[in-house]
Amino acid sequence: MSTHTIPGNGQPWLHQKGAVIQEFGTVKQFPIGLSHDARMYACQRLNQVLANTQILYALYKKHHWLVRGATFYQLHLVLDKHAGEQLELVDALAERVQSLGGVAVGDPRHVAEITSIPRPPDGVEEIPAMLSRLLEAHETILVQAHDAAARVAELGDDGTNDLLVSQVIRTGELQAWFLAEHLVDTPLVRA
Ligand SMILES: [Fe+2]
């Protein structure tokens, strides 16, 4: 009897291995009216923003879980709302890379190699430090997104420009506003 039985009767082929069929950092040819170089450049910039957005999403979840104190409930809710909106951006950015013929960064360990956002402590920070950390992550992404949006527009990539401006920048600016207003030292009870 052979050691390799051919699956039959609905038996799935398990434990399969195969070659990588497209390397990270490459783009395949797609007929979308954009040059190879423009698509390569956009994918590289998009993957940087994508990696940082995945980290921002994870930071929001971490802080959603770890907040404490008198404002626990409202922060717990708003941080989760922002996390959900960042997760939508993650998907939009990744699918933009794919629609340009590229390979989106997906594995969290690969994300960790690409991100420019500093790693937080594994433990719990005080709330103002948590919120400051999130604001700095937002600004890192916003600076990158503004620069990338302008450069991809010069190369004719209007779709990537639109994604960065209409979704990444607009969402990031709004979320930064909500965070920053929590750091205003204003009286709660007596003026
Ligand atoms: Fe939750």
Side-chain angles (χ1 to χ4, degrees):
M1 185 178 150
S2 162
T3 53
H4 294 284
T5 307
I6 295 173
N9 301 321
Q11 169 61 41
W13 294 80
L14 302 175
H15 309 300
Q16 301 197 57
K17 302 275 189 294
V20 170
I21 59 171
Q22 184 185 356
E23 292 290 347
F24 182 77
T26 64
V27 289
K28 54 191 172 185
Q29 207 57 48
F30 271 170
I32 55 173
L34 291 169
S35 72
H36 175 271
D37 288 356
R39 291 180 299 107
M40 272 291 281
Y41 182 75
C43 285
Q44 185 228 329
R45 298 303 302 263
L46 283 165
N47 268 324
Q48 289 171 345
V49 176
L50 173 56
N52 282 341
T53 302
Q54 285 173 277
I55 293 294
L56 179 59
Y57 162 75
L59 279 179
Y60 266 120
K61 273 297 191 182
K62 172 179 168 71
H63 294 146
H64 161 71
W65 298 322
L66 300 185
V67 280
R68 52 200 58 194
T71 57
F72 170 84
Y73 189 56
Q74 66 140 329
L75 283 173
H76 182 68
L77 295 182
V78 75
L79 297 177
D80 205 32
K81 177 176 183 287
H82 285 195
E85 291 165 0
Q86 289 299 323
L87 192 57
E88 287 179 20
L89 293 179
V90 166
D91 201 48
L93 287 160
E95 291 182 358
R96 182 69 196 164
V97 172
Q98 296 309 128
S99 68
L100 291 170
V103 179
V105 55
D107 189 281
R109 290 152 296 189
H110 189 191
V111 169
E113 292 171 5
I114 293 176
T115 185
S116 52
I117 294 172
R119 178 174 174 163
D122 293 339
V124 183
E125 295 180 288
E126 291 178 331
I127 284 176
M130 290 181 185
L131 299 180
S132 289
R133 181 178 294 287
L134 290 166
L135 272 172
E136 285 167 18
H138 270 296
E139 190 163 33
T140 296
I141 292 171
L142 286 166
V143 167
Q144 276 186 336
H146 279 293
D147 185 68
R151 289 171 189 269
V152 298
E154 286 168 13
L155 296 172
D157 189 348
D158 302 313
T160 298
N161 171 275
D162 178 55
L163 169 61
L164 291 169
V165 174
S166 305
Q167 294 180 243
V168 175
I169 292 174
R170 292 298 187 97
T171 303
E173 287 174 342
L174 194 72
Q175 293 188 352
W177 170 42
F178 270 68
L179 293 178
E181 292 294 358
H182 285 86
L183 293 172
V184 177
D185 196 1
T186 185
L188 283 176
V189 178
R190 294 185 62 172

